[in-house]
mmCIF file of all heavy atoms in Angstrom:
data_model
loop_
_atom_site.group_PDB
_atom_site.id
_atom_site.type_symbol
_atom_site.label_atom_id
_atom_site.label_comp_id
_atom_site.label_asym_id
_atom_site.label_seq_id
_atom_site.Cartn_x
_atom_site.Cartn_y
_atom_site.Cartn_z
ATOM 1 N N MET I 1 15.222 -10.826 2.705
ATOM 2 C CA MET I 1 14.883 -9.864 1.591
ATOM 3 C C MET I 1 14.798 -8.447 2.279
ATOM 4 O O MET I 1 13.998 -8.320 3.189
ATOM 5 C CB MET I 1 13.511 -10.180 1.004
ATOM 6 C CG MET I 1 13.283 -9.241 -0.220
ATOM 7 S SD MET I 1 11.605 -9.717 -0.977
ATOM 8 C CE MET I 1 11.599 -8.461 -2.247
ATOM 9 N N GLU I 2 15.370 -7.486 1.577
ATOM 10 C CA GLU I 2 15.358 -6.183 2.097
ATOM 11 C C GLU I 2 14.095 -5.446 1.836
ATOM 12 O O GLU I 2 13.499 -5.674 0.639
ATOM 13 C CB GLU I 2 16.427 -5.335 1.484
ATOM 14 C CG GLU I 2 17.299 -4.529 2.276
ATOM 15 C CD GLU I 2 18.464 -3.958 1.587
ATOM 16 O OE1 GLU I 2 19.593 -4.517 1.479
ATOM 17 O OE2 GLU I 2 18.416 -2.823 1.048
ATOM 18 N N CYS I 3 13.684 -4.651 2.739
ATOM 19 C CA CYS I 3 12.330 -3.878 2.537
ATOM 20 C C CYS I 3 12.636 -2.831 1.452
ATOM 21 O O CYS I 3 13.556 -2.141 1.464
ATOM 22 C CB CYS I 3 11.871 -3.228 3.695
ATOM 23 S SG CYS I 3 10.351 -2.331 3.587
ATOM 24 N N LYS I 4 11.634 -2.769 0.438
ATOM 25 C CA LYS I 4 11.800 -1.801 -0.679
ATOM 26 C C LYS I 4 10.839 -0.444 -0.361
ATOM 27 O O LYS I 4 10.380 0.040 -1.382
ATOM 28 C CB LYS I 4 11.468 -2.395 -2.003
ATOM 29 C CG LYS I 4 12.366 -3.596 -2.338
ATOM 30 C CD LYS I 4 11.889 -4.466 -3.388
ATOM 31 C CE LYS I 4 11.709 -3.780 -4.787
ATOM 32 N NZ LYS I 4 11.251 -4.647 -5.743
ATOM 33 N N ARG I 5 10.615 -0.189 0.766
ATOM 34 C CA ARG I 5 9.625 0.816 1.135
ATOM 35 C C ARG I 5 9.971 2.199 0.444
ATOM 36 O O ARG I 5 8.997 2.811 -0.129
ATOM 37 C CB ARG I 5 9.459 1.062 2.624
ATOM 38 C CG ARG I 5 8.479 1.974 3.073
ATOM 39 C CD ARG I 5 8.219 2.085 4.552
ATOM 40 N NE ARG I 5 6.899 2.607 4.756
ATOM 41 C CZ ARG I 5 6.421 2.658 5.926
ATOM 42 N NH1 ARG I 5 7.018 2.154 6.954
ATOM 43 N NH2 ARG I 5 5.180 3.053 6.147
ATOM 44 N N GLU I 6 11.085 2.649 0.451
ATOM 45 C CA GLU I 6 11.351 3.932 -0.145
ATOM 46 C C GLU I 6 11.078 3.924 -1.638
ATOM 47 O O GLU I 6 10.584 4.856 -2.132
ATOM 48 C CB GLU I 6 12.983 4.260 0.044
ATOM 49 C CG GLU I 6 13.151 4.942 1.406
ATOM 50 C CD GLU I 6 14.641 5.328 1.505
ATOM 51 O OE1 GLU I 6 15.218 5.763 0.622
ATOM 52 O OE2 GLU I 6 15.117 5.271 2.677
ATOM 53 N N GLU I 7 11.488 2.849 -2.266
ATOM 54 C CA GLU I 7 11.229 2.667 -3.697
ATOM 55 C C GLU I 7 9.571 2.492 -3.994
ATOM 56 O O GLU I 7 9.157 3.163 -4.938
ATOM 57 C CB GLU I 7 11.850 1.385 -4.254
ATOM 58 C CG GLU I 7 11.897 1.228 -5.719
ATOM 59 C CD GLU I 7 12.792 0.039 -6.102
ATOM 60 O OE1 GLU I 7 13.680 -0.297 -5.400
ATOM 61 O OE2 GLU I 7 12.326 -0.639 -7.121
ATOM 62 N N ASN I 8 8.905 1.842 -3.198
ATOM 63 C CA ASN I 8 7.544 1.593 -3.301
ATOM 64 C C ASN I 8 6.809 2.915 -3.106
ATOM 65 O O ASN I 8 5.823 3.204 -3.776
ATOM 66 C CB ASN I 8 6.947 0.530 -2.180
ATOM 67 C CG ASN I 8 7.465 -0.801 -2.506
ATOM 68 O OD1 ASN I 8 7.851 -1.124 -3.608
ATOM 69 N ND2 ASN I 8 7.526 -1.700 -1.446
ATOM 70 N N VAL I 9 7.215 3.780 -2.088
ATOM 71 C CA VAL I 9 6.392 4.987 -1.897
ATOM 72 C C VAL I 9 6.449 5.807 -3.212
ATOM 73 O O VAL I 9 5.458 6.459 -3.466
ATOM 74 C CB VAL I 9 7.145 5.710 -0.713
ATOM 75 C CG1 VAL I 9 6.736 7.202 -0.639
ATOM 76 C CG2 VAL I 9 6.799 5.021 0.670
ATOM 77 N N LYS I 10 7.542 5.861 -3.948
ATOM 78 C CA LYS I 10 7.642 6.561 -5.201
ATOM 79 C C LYS I 10 6.572 6.226 -6.134
ATOM 80 O O LYS I 10 6.160 7.107 -6.901
ATOM 81 C CB LYS I 10 8.956 6.449 -5.714
ATOM 82 C CG LYS I 10 10.165 7.159 -4.974
ATOM 83 C CD LYS I 10 11.495 6.969 -5.640
ATOM 84 C CE LYS I 10 12.638 7.118 -4.665
ATOM 85 N NZ LYS I 10 13.871 6.448 -5.255
ATOM 86 N N ASN I 11 6.272 4.993 -6.098
ATOM 87 C CA ASN I 11 5.271 4.443 -7.181
ATOM 88 C C ASN I 11 3.857 4.330 -6.635
ATOM 89 O O ASN I 11 3.026 3.877 -7.328
ATOM 90 C CB ASN I 11 5.749 3.149 -7.660
ATOM 91 C CG ASN I 11 6.992 3.207 -8.288
ATOM 92 O OD1 ASN I 11 7.278 4.100 -9.092
ATOM 93 N ND2 ASN I 11 7.950 2.227 -8.063
ATOM 94 N N CYS I 12 3.682 4.702 -5.376
ATOM 95 C CA CYS I 12 2.337 4.567 -4.697
ATOM 96 C C CYS I 12 1.329 5.535 -5.170
ATOM 97 O O CYS I 12 1.662 6.686 -5.054
ATOM 98 C CB CYS I 12 2.499 4.513 -3.184
ATOM 99 S SG CYS I 12 0.890 4.271 -2.213
ATOM 100 N N THR I 13 0.136 5.022 -5.472
ATOM 101 C CA THR I 13 -0.867 5.925 -6.125
ATOM 102 C C THR I 13 -1.859 6.404 -4.960
ATOM 103 O O THR I 13 -2.749 7.243 -5.284
ATOM 104 C CB THR I 13 -1.650 5.345 -7.238
ATOM 105 O OG1 THR I 13 -2.291 4.151 -6.802
ATOM 106 C CG2 THR I 13 -0.799 5.000 -8.388
ATOM 107 N N CYS I 14 -1.663 5.864 -3.790
ATOM 108 C CA CYS I 14 -2.607 6.211 -2.787
ATOM 109 C C CYS I 14 -2.315 7.642 -2.174
ATOM 110 O O CYS I 14 -1.196 7.919 -2.020
ATOM 111 C CB CYS I 14 -2.443 5.211 -1.641
ATOM 112 S SG CYS I 14 -3.576 5.516 -0.136
ATOM 113 N N LYS I 15 -3.489 8.382 -2.137
ATOM 114 C CA LYS I 15 -3.357 9.759 -1.641
ATOM 115 C C LYS I 15 -3.487 9.804 -0.148
ATOM 116 O O LYS I 15 -3.259 10.879 0.465
ATOM 117 C CB LYS I 15 -4.441 10.636 -2.270
ATOM 118 C CG LYS I 15 -4.457 10.580 -3.781
ATOM 119 C CD LYS I 15 -3.468 11.665 -4.324
ATOM 120 C CE LYS I 15 -3.547 11.819 -5.753
ATOM 121 N NZ LYS I 15 -2.559 10.960 -6.558
ATOM 122 N N GLY I 16 -3.903 8.679 0.463
ATOM 123 C CA GLY I 16 -4.034 8.639 1.904
ATOM 124 C C GLY I 16 -2.670 8.711 2.593
ATOM 125 O O GLY I 16 -1.622 8.368 2.041
ATOM 126 N N GLU I 17 -2.741 9.211 3.821
ATOM 127 C CA GLU I 17 -1.524 9.289 4.653
ATOM 128 C C GLU I 17 -1.728 8.111 5.808
ATOM 129 O O GLU I 17 -2.370 8.432 6.747
ATOM 130 C CB GLU I 17 -1.316 10.678 5.264
ATOM 131 C CG GLU I 17 -0.817 11.676 4.283
ATOM 132 C CD GLU I 17 0.413 11.396 3.547
ATOM 133 O OE1 GLU I 17 1.275 10.858 4.218
ATOM 134 O OE2 GLU I 17 0.500 11.718 2.364
ATOM 135 N N CYS I 18 -1.152 7.082 5.577
ATOM 136 C CA CYS I 18 -1.281 6.068 6.637
ATOM 137 C C CYS I 18 0.004 5.373 6.825
ATOM 138 O O CYS I 18 0.878 5.492 6.011
ATOM 139 C CB CYS I 18 -2.415 5.075 6.305
ATOM 140 S SG CYS I 18 -1.872 3.493 5.519
ATOM 141 N N GLU I 19 0.129 4.711 7.992
ATOM 142 C CA GLU I 19 1.553 4.200 8.355
ATOM 143 C C GLU I 19 1.892 2.930 7.383
ATOM 144 O O GLU I 19 3.068 2.579 7.407
ATOM 145 C CB GLU I 19 1.570 3.748 9.857
ATOM 146 C CG GLU I 19 0.668 2.537 10.184
ATOM 147 C CD GLU I 19 -0.758 2.871 10.329
ATOM 148 O OE1 GLU I 19 -1.245 4.001 10.094
ATOM 149 O OE2 GLU I 19 -1.499 1.947 10.636
ATOM 150 N N ARG I 20 1.037 2.431 6.636
ATOM 151 C CA ARG I 20 1.329 1.324 5.766
ATOM 152 C C ARG I 20 1.861 1.781 4.402
ATOM 153 O O ARG I 20 2.186 0.930 3.561
ATOM 154 C CB ARG I 20 0.054 0.372 5.607
ATOM 155 C CG ARG I 20 -0.317 -0.336 6.862
ATOM 156 C CD ARG I 20 -1.528 -1.019 6.702
ATOM 157 N NE ARG I 20 -2.760 -0.048 6.740
ATOM 158 C CZ ARG I 20 -3.264 0.350 7.871
ATOM 159 N NH1 ARG I 20 -2.866 -0.130 9.084
ATOM 160 N NH2 ARG I 20 -4.224 1.221 7.773
ATOM 161 N N LYS I 21 1.768 3.056 4.121
ATOM 162 C CA LYS I 21 2.062 3.537 2.835
ATOM 163 C C LYS I 21 3.610 3.146 2.395
ATOM 164 O O LYS I 21 4.557 3.316 3.179
ATOM 165 C CB LYS I 21 1.914 5.106 2.827
ATOM 166 C CG LYS I 21 2.033 5.567 1.315
ATOM 167 C CD LYS I 21 1.743 7.206 1.391
ATOM 168 C CE LYS I 21 1.965 7.763 -0.029
ATOM 169 N NZ LYS I 21 0.780 7.492 -0.825
ATOM 170 N N GLY I 22 3.661 2.371 1.259
ATOM 171 C CA GLY I 22 4.898 1.872 0.816
ATOM 172 C C GLY I 22 5.282 0.582 1.413
ATOM 173 O O GLY I 22 6.305 -0.088 0.956
ATOM 174 N N LYS I 23 4.579 0.257 2.417
ATOM 175 C CA LYS I 23 4.887 -1.139 3.101
ATOM 176 C C LYS I 23 3.765 -2.091 2.502
ATOM 177 O O LYS I 23 2.641 -2.378 3.162
ATOM 178 C CB LYS I 23 4.738 -0.965 4.559
ATOM 179 C CG LYS I 23 5.821 -1.712 5.370
ATOM 180 C CD LYS I 23 5.749 -1.418 6.752
ATOM 181 C CE LYS I 23 6.333 -2.592 7.565
ATOM 182 N NZ LYS I 23 6.049 -2.438 9.029
ATOM 183 N N CYS I 24 3.944 -2.494 1.322
ATOM 184 C CA CYS I 24 2.909 -3.159 0.504
ATOM 185 C C CYS I 24 2.351 -4.428 1.198
ATOM 186 O O CYS I 24 1.284 -4.729 1.173
ATOM 187 C CB CYS I 24 3.323 -3.417 -0.950
ATOM 188 S SG CYS I 24 3.968 -1.965 -1.801
ATOM 189 N N CYS I 25 3.303 -5.191 1.801
ATOM 190 C CA CYS I 25 2.973 -6.448 2.479
ATOM 191 C C CYS I 25 1.775 -6.083 3.684
ATOM 192 O O CYS I 25 0.845 -6.700 3.666
ATOM 193 C CB CYS I 25 4.113 -7.080 3.239
ATOM 194 S SG CYS I 25 5.171 -6.013 4.093
ATOM 195 N N ASP I 26 2.019 -5.060 4.435
ATOM 196 C CA ASP I 26 1.018 -4.632 5.407
ATOM 197 C C ASP I 26 -0.230 -3.975 4.800
ATOM 198 O O ASP I 26 -1.319 -4.229 5.232
ATOM 199 C CB ASP I 26 1.661 -3.596 6.393
ATOM 200 C CG ASP I 26 2.740 -4.278 7.323
ATOM 201 O OD1 ASP I 26 2.832 -5.465 7.279
ATOM 202 O OD2 ASP I 26 3.279 -3.421 8.102
ATOM 203 N N CYS I 27 0.043 -3.279 3.625
ATOM 204 C CA CYS I 27 -1.109 -2.620 2.955
ATOM 205 C C CYS I 27 -2.107 -3.666 2.457
ATOM 206 O O CYS I 27 -3.234 -3.618 2.674
ATOM 207 C CB CYS I 27 -0.514 -1.692 1.865
ATOM 208 S SG CYS I 27 -1.813 -0.906 0.859
ATOM 209 N N VAL I 28 -1.533 -4.701 1.823
ATOM 210 C CA VAL I 28 -2.339 -5.800 1.078
ATOM 211 C C VAL I 28 -3.087 -6.493 2.224
ATOM 212 O O VAL I 28 -4.280 -6.776 2.092
ATOM 213 C CB VAL I 28 -1.447 -6.634 0.318
ATOM 214 C CG1 VAL I 28 -2.141 -7.924 -0.071
ATOM 215 C CG2 VAL I 28 -1.105 -5.892 -0.962
ATOM 216 N N LEU I 29 -2.383 -6.861 3.269
ATOM 217 C CA LEU I 29 -2.964 -7.698 4.348
ATOM 218 C C LEU I 29 -4.161 -6.802 5.074
ATOM 219 O O LEU I 29 -5.194 -7.330 5.267
ATOM 220 C CB LEU I 29 -1.882 -7.944 5.439
ATOM 221 C CG LEU I 29 -2.360 -8.788 6.666
ATOM 222 C CD1 LEU I 29 -2.997 -10.110 6.212
ATOM 223 C CD2 LEU I 29 -1.303 -8.962 7.723
ATOM 224 N N HIS I 30 -3.887 -5.549 5.295
ATOM 225 C CA HIS I 30 -4.874 -4.738 5.908
ATOM 226 C C HIS I 30 -6.262 -4.641 5.073
ATOM 227 O O HIS I 30 -7.271 -4.826 5.513
ATOM 228 C CB HIS I 30 -4.360 -3.308 6.090
ATOM 229 C CG HIS I 30 -5.303 -2.290 6.472
ATOM 230 N ND1 HIS I 30 -5.870 -2.177 7.736
ATOM 231 C CD2 HIS I 30 -5.920 -1.260 5.745
ATOM 232 C CE1 HIS I 30 -6.652 -1.170 7.760
ATOM 233 N NE2 HIS I 30 -6.826 -0.681 6.679
ATOM 234 N N HIS I 31 -5.995 -4.533 3.764
ATOM 235 C CA HIS I 31 -7.172 -4.451 2.833
ATOM 236 C C HIS I 31 -7.874 -5.676 2.698
ATOM 237 O O HIS I 31 -9.009 -5.842 2.584
ATOM 238 C CB HIS I 31 -6.812 -3.713 1.570
ATOM 239 C CG HIS I 31 -6.660 -2.279 1.728
ATOM 240 N ND1 HIS I 31 -7.802 -1.410 1.654
ATOM 241 C CD2 HIS I 31 -5.674 -1.388 1.931
ATOM 242 C CE1 HIS I 31 -7.511 -0.173 1.887
ATOM 243 N NE2 HIS I 31 -6.117 -0.110 2.053
ATOM 244 N N LYS I 32 -7.059 -6.815 2.626
ATOM 245 C CA LYS I 32 -7.598 -8.035 2.552
ATOM 246 C C LYS I 32 -8.482 -8.384 3.754
ATOM 247 O O LYS I 32 -9.671 -8.985 3.656
ATOM 248 C CB LYS I 32 -6.455 -9.146 2.548
ATOM 249 C CG LYS I 32 -6.973 -10.644 2.353
ATOM 250 C CD LYS I 32 -5.815 -11.558 2.365
ATOM 251 C CE LYS I 32 -6.354 -12.995 2.360
ATOM 252 N NZ LYS I 32 -5.407 -13.957 2.771
ATOM 253 N N GLN I 33 -8.045 -7.975 4.990
ATOM 254 C CA GLN I 33 -8.847 -8.258 6.106
ATOM 255 C C GLN I 33 -10.162 -7.438 6.129
ATOM 256 O O GLN I 33 -11.136 -7.770 6.766
ATOM 257 C CB GLN I 33 -7.968 -7.970 7.446
ATOM 258 C CG GLN I 33 -6.899 -8.992 7.695
ATOM 259 C CD GLN I 33 -5.965 -8.572 8.672
ATOM 260 O OE1 GLN I 33 -5.769 -7.434 9.026
ATOM 261 N NE2 GLN I 33 -5.166 -9.609 9.252
ATOM 262 N N LYS I 34 -10.086 -6.293 5.553
ATOM 263 C CA LYS I 34 -11.223 -5.314 5.443
ATOM 264 C C LYS I 34 -12.184 -5.785 4.282
ATOM 265 O O LYS I 34 -13.289 -5.270 4.069
ATOM 266 C CB LYS I 34 -10.784 -3.893 5.174
ATOM 267 C CG LYS I 34 -10.341 -3.139 6.413
ATOM 268 C CD LYS I 34 -9.998 -1.768 6.211
ATOM 269 C CE LYS I 34 -10.536 -1.035 5.020
ATOM 270 N NZ LYS I 34 -10.161 0.328 4.904
ATOM 271 N N GLY I 35 -11.597 -6.639 3.385
ATOM 272 C CA GLY I 35 -12.398 -7.134 2.174
ATOM 273 C C GLY I 35 -12.491 -6.013 1.041
ATOM 274 O O GLY I 35 -13.361 -5.953 0.337
ATOM 275 N N SER I 36 -11.352 -5.326 1.058
ATOM 276 C CA SER I 36 -11.246 -4.186 0.099
ATOM 277 C C SER I 36 -9.911 -4.273 -0.617
ATOM 278 O O SER I 36 -9.095 -5.155 -0.361
ATOM 279 C CB SER I 36 -11.405 -2.798 0.623
ATOM 280 O OG SER I 36 -10.383 -2.545 1.589
ATOM 281 N N LEU I 37 -9.703 -3.548 -1.617
ATOM 282 C CA LEU I 37 -8.493 -3.474 -2.362
ATOM 283 C C LEU I 37 -7.526 -2.355 -2.094
ATOM 284 O O LEU I 37 -8.162 -1.223 -1.796
ATOM 285 C CB LEU I 37 -8.919 -3.405 -3.924
ATOM 286 C CG LEU I 37 -9.420 -4.745 -4.587
ATOM 287 C CD1 LEU I 37 -9.695 -4.347 -5.972
ATOM 288 C CD2 LEU I 37 -8.441 -5.821 -4.599
ATOM 289 N N PRO I 38 -6.302 -2.402 -2.039
ATOM 290 C CA PRO I 38 -5.419 -1.356 -1.842
ATOM 291 C C PRO I 38 -5.731 -0.392 -3.026
ATOM 292 O O PRO I 38 -6.069 -0.742 -4.118
ATOM 293 C CB PRO I 38 -4.049 -1.893 -2.035
ATOM 294 C CG PRO I 38 -4.245 -3.329 -1.866
ATOM 295 C CD PRO I 38 -5.556 -3.750 -2.292
ATOM 296 N N HIS I 39 -5.493 0.883 -2.781
ATOM 297 C CA HIS I 39 -5.759 1.983 -3.698
ATOM 298 C C HIS I 39 -5.177 1.626 -5.086
ATOM 299 O O HIS I 39 -5.846 1.905 -6.184
ATOM 300 C CB HIS I 39 -5.322 3.258 -3.235
ATOM 301 C CG HIS I 39 -5.648 4.449 -4.145
ATOM 302 N ND1 HIS I 39 -4.965 4.850 -5.296
ATOM 303 C CD2 HIS I 39 -6.796 5.224 -4.069
ATOM 304 C CE1 HIS I 39 -5.668 5.839 -5.814
ATOM 305 N NE2 HIS I 39 -6.681 6.149 -5.078
ATOM 306 N N CYS I 40 -3.938 1.144 -5.170
ATOM 307 C CA CYS I 40 -3.273 0.906 -6.457
ATOM 308 C C CYS I 40 -3.963 -0.184 -7.303
ATOM 309 O O CYS I 40 -3.761 -0.365 -8.465
ATOM 310 C CB CYS I 40 -1.882 0.548 -6.174
ATOM 311 S SG CYS I 40 -1.590 -0.828 -5.217
ATOM 312 N N LEU I 41 -4.801 -1.024 -6.647
ATOM 313 C CA LEU I 41 -5.534 -2.022 -7.478
ATOM 314 C C LEU I 41 -6.866 -1.838 -7.755
ATOM 315 O O LEU I 41 -7.597 -2.573 -8.406
ATOM 316 C CB LEU I 41 -5.382 -3.422 -6.606
ATOM 317 C CG LEU I 41 -4.029 -3.919 -6.316
ATOM 318 C CD1 LEU I 41 -4.041 -5.285 -5.492
ATOM 319 C CD2 LEU I 41 -3.262 -4.129 -7.605
ATOM 320 N N ARG I 42 -7.316 -0.558 -7.329
ATOM 321 C CA ARG I 42 -8.688 -0.173 -7.766
ATOM 322 C C ARG I 42 -8.697 0.464 -9.143
ATOM 323 O O ARG I 42 -7.767 1.048 -9.646
ATOM 324 C CB ARG I 42 -9.272 0.790 -6.630
ATOM 325 C CG ARG I 42 -9.380 0.152 -5.357
ATOM 326 C CD ARG I 42 -9.897 1.224 -4.276
ATOM 327 N NE ARG I 42 -9.416 0.836 -2.939
ATOM 328 C CZ ARG I 42 -9.474 1.607 -1.890
ATOM 329 N NH1 ARG I 42 -9.865 2.935 -2.106
ATOM 330 N NH2 ARG I 42 -8.990 1.189 -0.713
ATOM 331 N N LYS I 43 -9.979 0.483 -9.725
ATOM 332 C CA LYS I 43 -9.966 1.110 -10.958
ATOM 333 C C LYS I 43 -9.655 2.643 -10.824
ATOM 334 O O LYS I 43 -10.314 3.356 -9.935
ATOM 335 C CB LYS I 43 -11.314 1.034 -11.580
ATOM 336 C CG LYS I 43 -11.623 -0.257 -12.243
ATOM 337 C CD LYS I 43 -13.001 -0.230 -13.018
ATOM 338 C CE LYS I 43 -13.075 -1.727 -13.600
ATOM 339 N NZ LYS I 43 -14.441 -1.840 -14.059
ATOM 340 N N GLN I 44 -8.695 3.121 -11.773
ATOM 341 C CA GLN I 44 -8.302 4.634 -11.460
ATOM 342 C C GLN I 44 -9.302 5.481 -12.329
ATOM 343 O O GLN I 44 -9.838 5.180 -13.234
ATOM 344 C CB GLN I 44 -6.929 4.816 -12.047
ATOM 345 C CG GLN I 44 -5.909 3.783 -11.423
ATOM 346 C CD GLN I 44 -5.613 4.140 -10.019
ATOM 347 O OE1 GLN I 44 -5.230 5.181 -9.640
ATOM 348 N NE2 GLN I 44 -5.497 3.045 -9.140
HETATM 349 S S1 LIG J 101 -4.017 1.736 0.139
HETATM 350 FE FE1 LIG J 101 -5.003 1.784 2.251
HETATM 351 S S2 LIG J 101 -3.374 0.740 3.547
HETATM 352 FE FE2 LIG J 101 -2.401 1.178 1.548
HETATM 353 S S3 LIG J 101 -1.380 3.161 1.979
HETATM 354 FE FE3 LIG J 101 -3.342 3.646 1.126
HETATM 355 S S4 LIG J 101 -4.804 3.983 2.905
HETATM 356 FE FE4 LIG J 101 -2.838 2.884 3.670
#
């Protein structure tokens, strides 16, 4: 499966600048390990 990072970045609501932005697989794993939710899954 091709990475959809460029497309994901356009829809990302996170204001943070981190290397996982748009790389949702890494973003979700990172927040899961921290016990938190990615920005897009938090109450806006
Ligand atoms: S939600 Fe967290 S891991 Fe994902 S792009 Fe934003 S700061 Fe990075």
Side-chain angles (χ1 to χ4, degrees):
M1 183 182 181
E2 224 172 275
C3 183
K4 294 165 67 180
R5 188 173 198 171
E6 276 184 36
E7 195 179 324
N8 292 341
V9 164
K10 291 179 200 161
N11 299 317
C12 183
T13 59
C14 182
K15 302 277 185 264
E17 289 299 326
C18 96
E19 72 280 3
R20 290 172 287 273
K21 195 172 175 76
K23 224 174 153 190
C24 304
C25 46
D26 286 356
C27 177
V28 167
L29 180 63
H30 172 74
H31 282 281
K32 183 183 174 194
Q33 288 169 340
K34 279 183 22 175
S36 63
L37 288 171
H39 187 274
C40 58
L41 297 180
R42 296 178 204 165
K43 281 190 182 169
Q44 309 287 314

